[in-house]
Amino acid sequence: MPTSMPDIANHTTAQTEGALDWVGMSKIEMPIMLASKGENDRMVSTHIDAFVNLKDPQAKGIHMSRLYLILDELSTSNTLSYQTLVSVLDSFVSSHDDLSDQAKVEFNFEYHLRRKSLISGKEGWKAYPVKLTGLLNQGKLTIELSVEVRYSSTCPCSAALSRQLIQQAFQQKFSGSEQVALNDVHEWLGTSEGIVATPHSQRSIAEVKVKLNNSLNEFPITELVNLLEDALQTPVQAAVKREDEQEFARLNGQNLMFCEDAARRVQHCLNQNEQYDDFWLRINHLESLHAHDAVSITTKGISGGYQP
Ligand SMILES: Nc1nc2c(ncn2[C@@H]2O[C@H](COP(=O)(O)OP(=O)(O)OP(=O)(O)O)[C@@H](O)[C@H]2O)c(=O)[nH]1
């Protein structure tokens, strides 16, 4: 490097002094080889946020290029795992010895999983938005995993109101007769006059963030997705034949959910799981009855933990 190049970060001081909580870069685009528990390592297309604190109030700035190059080395020569995420954070701090004692890195990407259809035995891809976050605060390490799971929620109130309309239609149709023939009822139930009303359902999104226990050394992405989809029972589907669609209708009918119900199901499952020291969740029902969404938010509720 030519010696005459000015080095603002090193050789000037701040015009106005002040320590800063986070300084760094957002949405760095990099392909990253990712190790995830139970899956083959694979390349994911990430957007990375990388930060250190600036604890020296007089220092002009941090060295952005050092953070970038640490990530570039991860991208070109390594695999993102629990261990390498910790190394990245250590390197962020050690590359800024006098300036920083905290580091944060967030990897945002879509993680594709093969998902089985409900009945037909077909398979298809689903893409799950995932965020892996590492935080190093004066030697204290926190690793978080966030995922989003999309599912269908059918309104329990609308289902009850629809059942009432079906009962009324039944009464109207058969009220004159002393006895009703089984076949007549069976046939009538198969018509659109029989099922005169259907409850509304909505595309719904569970956003979940978990703090990984220190004893974990792998990212449990697939496990967390499975846990959430098992709790909710009505995840959106990939490959769908008619038998799968019918089973989906049955599952929707058997799992009627307000956003409160969905939040409690997820809360219950996460509370049972000891791998997660803390959790935060937000349930979004993108209403079809309303133009606005129904939302519920909760946390594990531990002292000093996530805030709703
Ligand atoms: N600190 C800081 N740097 C910025 C910002 N925007 C762009 N940069 C640029 O980031 C580049 C890299 O900075 P450094 O890491 O200090 O680069 P360098 O001096 O060649 O690297 P070292 O020799 O390792 O210090 C510089 O060219 C800065 O101008 C900003 O808002 N803050």
Side-chain angles (χ1 to χ4, degrees), residues 1 5-10 23-25 54 60-69 95-96:
M1 184 170 61
M5 289 180 88
D7 189 349
I8 289 288
N10 268 332
V23 187
M25 291 160 287
L54 183 55
K60 177 69 175 166
I62 69 151
H63 302 280
M64 303 262 178
S65 68
R66 299 182 192 176
L67 304 184
Y68 183 91
L69 292 172
S95 65
H96 283 77

Short mmCIF file of all heavy atoms in Angstrom, two decimals, residues 1 5-10 23-25 54 60-69 95-96, ligand 1:
data_model
loop_
_atom_site.label_atom_id
_atom_site.label_comp_id
_atom_site.label_asym_id
_atom_site.label_seq_id
_atom_site.Cartn_x
_atom_site.Cartn_y
_atom_site.Cartn_z
N MET A 1 0.86 -1.20 0.00
CA MET A 1 0.00 0.00 0.00
C MET A 1 0.89 1.24 0.00
O MET A 1 1.83 1.31 0.78
CB MET A 1 -0.89 -0.02 1.25
CG MET A 1 -1.86 1.09 1.30
SD MET A 1 -3.09 0.88 2.63
CE MET A 1 -2.06 0.88 4.07
N MET A 5 -0.97 7.38 1.57
CA MET A 5 -2.44 7.44 1.59
C MET A 5 -2.95 7.92 2.95
O MET A 5 -2.51 7.43 3.99
CB MET A 5 -3.04 6.06 1.30
CG MET A 5 -2.86 5.63 -0.13
SD MET A 5 -3.58 4.01 -0.38
CE MET A 5 -5.23 4.47 -0.77
N PRO A 6 -3.85 8.89 2.95
CA PRO A 6 -4.38 9.36 4.24
C PRO A 6 -5.18 8.25 4.93
O PRO A 6 -5.85 7.46 4.25
CB PRO A 6 -5.29 10.53 3.85
CG PRO A 6 -5.61 10.31 2.42
CD PRO A 6 -4.47 9.56 1.81
N ASP A 7 -5.07 8.17 6.25
CA ASP A 7 -5.81 7.16 7.02
C ASP A 7 -6.64 7.88 8.08
O ASP A 7 -6.21 8.11 9.21
CB ASP A 7 -4.82 6.18 7.66
CG ASP A 7 -5.53 4.99 8.28
OD1 ASP A 7 -6.78 5.04 8.38
OD2 ASP A 7 -4.85 4.03 8.65
N ILE A 8 -7.83 8.25 7.67
CA ILE A 8 -8.70 9.08 8.51
C ILE A 8 -9.04 8.39 9.83
O ILE A 8 -8.98 8.98 10.91
CB ILE A 8 -10.00 9.41 7.72
CG1 ILE A 8 -9.70 10.39 6.59
CG2 ILE A 8 -11.08 9.96 8.62
CD1 ILE A 8 -9.42 11.80 7.06
N ALA A 9 -9.37 7.06 9.73
CA ALA A 9 -9.81 6.34 10.93
C ALA A 9 -8.72 6.33 12.00
O ALA A 9 -8.99 6.45 13.19
CB ALA A 9 -10.21 4.91 10.56
N ASN A 10 -7.44 6.23 11.56
CA ASN A 10 -6.35 6.11 12.53
C ASN A 10 -5.77 7.46 12.95
O ASN A 10 -5.31 7.59 14.08
CB ASN A 10 -5.21 5.26 11.94
CG ASN A 10 -5.38 3.80 12.31
OD1 ASN A 10 -5.96 3.48 13.35
ND2 ASN A 10 -4.89 2.93 11.45
N VAL A 23 -21.46 0.27 15.54
CA VAL A 23 -21.04 0.85 14.26
C VAL A 23 -20.65 -0.32 13.36
O VAL A 23 -19.97 -1.26 13.81
CB VAL A 23 -19.81 1.78 14.42
CG1 VAL A 23 -19.52 2.48 13.10
CG2 VAL A 23 -20.02 2.79 15.52
N GLY A 24 -21.04 -0.27 12.12
CA GLY A 24 -20.67 -1.38 11.24
C GLY A 24 -21.37 -1.28 9.91
O GLY A 24 -21.61 -0.18 9.40
N MET A 25 -21.71 -2.43 9.35
CA MET A 25 -22.29 -2.48 8.01
C MET A 25 -23.56 -3.33 8.01
O MET A 25 -23.64 -4.31 8.76
CB MET A 25 -21.28 -3.10 7.04
CG MET A 25 -20.08 -2.23 6.78
SD MET A 25 -18.70 -3.22 6.14
CE MET A 25 -18.19 -4.10 7.58
N LEU A 54 -18.08 1.35 19.57
CA LEU A 54 -16.95 2.28 19.52
C LEU A 54 -16.87 2.89 20.91
O LEU A 54 -17.63 3.81 21.24
CB LEU A 54 -17.18 3.33 18.43
CG LEU A 54 -16.05 4.34 18.21
CD1 LEU A 54 -14.71 3.68 17.94
CD2 LEU A 54 -16.39 5.27 17.05
N LYS A 60 -11.93 8.40 15.64
CA LYS A 60 -12.71 8.87 14.49
C LYS A 60 -13.73 7.82 14.06
O LYS A 60 -14.89 8.13 13.79
CB LYS A 60 -11.75 9.17 13.33
CG LYS A 60 -12.42 9.58 12.04
CD LYS A 60 -13.05 10.95 12.15
CE LYS A 60 -13.62 11.41 10.82
NZ LYS A 60 -14.52 12.57 11.03
N GLY A 61 -13.27 6.57 13.95
CA GLY A 61 -14.21 5.55 13.48
C GLY A 61 -13.64 4.15 13.64
O GLY A 61 -12.47 3.98 14.00
N ILE A 62 -14.47 3.19 13.35
CA ILE A 62 -14.01 1.79 13.37
C ILE A 62 -13.38 1.47 12.01
O ILE A 62 -13.36 2.31 11.10
CB ILE A 62 -15.18 0.83 13.66
CG1 ILE A 62 -16.16 0.79 12.48
CG2 ILE A 62 -15.89 1.19 14.97
CD1 ILE A 62 -16.89 -0.51 12.35
N HIS A 63 -12.88 0.25 11.86
CA HIS A 63 -12.26 -0.17 10.60
C HIS A 63 -13.20 -1.15 9.90
O HIS A 63 -13.13 -2.34 10.11
CB HIS A 63 -10.90 -0.81 10.88
CG HIS A 63 -9.97 0.10 11.61
ND1 HIS A 63 -9.25 1.10 10.98
CD2 HIS A 63 -9.68 0.20 12.93
CE1 HIS A 63 -8.54 1.76 11.87
NE2 HIS A 63 -8.78 1.24 13.07
N MET A 64 -14.06 -0.58 9.09
CA MET A 64 -15.09 -1.39 8.41
C MET A 64 -14.47 -2.54 7.61
O MET A 64 -14.99 -3.65 7.58
CB MET A 64 -15.90 -0.52 7.44
CG MET A 64 -16.55 0.68 8.07
SD MET A 64 -18.24 0.33 8.43
CE MET A 64 -18.77 1.85 9.20
N SER A 65 -13.35 -2.23 6.96
CA SER A 65 -12.77 -3.24 6.05
C SER A 65 -12.35 -4.48 6.84
O SER A 65 -12.40 -5.59 6.30
CB SER A 65 -11.57 -2.67 5.31
OG SER A 65 -10.50 -2.44 6.21
N ARG A 66 -11.97 -4.31 8.09
CA ARG A 66 -11.53 -5.49 8.87
C ARG A 66 -12.71 -6.42 9.14
O ARG A 66 -12.58 -7.64 9.05
CB ARG A 66 -10.89 -5.02 10.18
CG ARG A 66 -9.66 -4.16 9.94
CD ARG A 66 -8.99 -3.74 11.22
NE ARG A 66 -8.00 -2.69 10.94
CZ ARG A 66 -7.30 -2.06 11.86
NH1 ARG A 66 -7.46 -2.35 13.15
NH2 ARG A 66 -6.42 -1.11 11.52
N LEU A 67 -13.85 -5.83 9.45
CA LEU A 67 -15.05 -6.67 9.67
C LEU A 67 -15.42 -7.39 8.37
O LEU A 67 -15.72 -8.59 8.36
CB LEU A 67 -16.24 -5.83 10.15
CG LEU A 67 -16.05 -4.97 11.41
CD1 LEU A 67 -17.35 -4.28 11.77
CD2 LEU A 67 -15.53 -5.80 12.57
N TYR A 68 -15.39 -6.62 7.28
CA TYR A 68 -15.77 -7.20 5.98
C TYR A 68 -14.86 -8.37 5.63
O TYR A 68 -15.33 -9.44 5.20
CB TYR A 68 -15.71 -6.12 4.89
CG TYR A 68 -16.16 -6.65 3.56
CD1 TYR A 68 -17.49 -6.57 3.17
CD2 TYR A 68 -15.24 -7.29 2.70
CE1 TYR A 68 -17.91 -7.09 1.96
CE2 TYR A 68 -15.66 -7.81 1.49
CZ TYR A 68 -16.99 -7.72 1.13
OH TYR A 68 -17.40 -8.25 -0.06
N LEU A 69 -13.56 -8.18 5.83
CA LEU A 69 -12.60 -9.22 5.41
C LEU A 69 -12.68 -10.47 6.29
O LEU A 69 -12.47 -11.58 5.82
CB LEU A 69 -11.18 -8.65 5.38
CG LEU A 69 -10.98 -7.60 4.25
CD1 LEU A 69 -9.62 -6.91 4.36
CD2 LEU A 69 -11.16 -8.22 2.87
N SER A 95 -9.79 -7.43 16.27
CA SER A 95 -9.31 -6.55 15.19
C SER A 95 -9.52 -5.07 15.54
O SER A 95 -9.12 -4.20 14.79
CB SER A 95 -10.03 -6.88 13.88
OG SER A 95 -11.40 -6.58 13.98
N HIS A 96 -10.16 -4.83 16.66
CA HIS A 96 -10.43 -3.45 17.08
C HIS A 96 -10.02 -3.25 18.54
O HIS A 96 -10.76 -2.64 19.33
CB HIS A 96 -11.93 -3.13 16.92
CG HIS A 96 -12.34 -2.88 15.51
ND1 HIS A 96 -12.52 -3.89 14.60
CD2 HIS A 96 -12.55 -1.72 14.83
CE1 HIS A 96 -12.85 -3.37 13.42
NE2 HIS A 96 -12.87 -2.06 13.54
N1 LIG B 1 -15.41 4.10 9.91
C1 LIG B 1 -16.11 4.33 8.77
N2 LIG B 1 -15.57 3.96 7.58
C2 LIG B 1 -16.30 4.16 6.45
C3 LIG B 1 -17.61 4.74 6.51
N3 LIG B 1 -18.11 4.79 5.25
C4 LIG B 1 -17.15 4.29 4.43
N4 LIG B 1 -16.04 3.91 5.15
C5 LIG B 1 -14.82 3.42 4.52
O1 LIG B 1 -14.37 2.14 4.93
C6 LIG B 1 -13.07 2.02 4.40
C7 LIG B 1 -12.26 1.06 5.19
O2 LIG B 1 -11.81 1.61 6.38
P1 LIG B 1 -10.61 0.92 7.19
O3 LIG B 1 -11.03 -0.40 7.62
O4 LIG B 1 -10.17 1.85 8.28
O5 LIG B 1 -9.54 0.79 6.00
P2 LIG B 1 -7.97 0.74 6.05
O6 LIG B 1 -7.46 1.93 6.82
O7 LIG B 1 -7.50 0.55 4.66
O8 LIG B 1 -7.73 -0.59 6.88
P3 LIG B 1 -6.73 -0.81 8.11
O9 LIG B 1 -5.38 -0.54 7.61
O10 LIG B 1 -7.01 -2.24 8.51
O11 LIG B 1 -7.16 0.19 9.18
C8 LIG B 1 -12.48 3.43 4.39
O12 LIG B 1 -12.14 3.70 3.05
C9 LIG B 1 -13.62 4.30 4.85
O13 LIG B 1 -13.73 5.50 4.17
C10 LIG B 1 -18.14 5.14 7.75
O14 LIG B 1 -19.27 5.65 7.87
N5 LIG B 1 -17.34 4.91 8.86
#
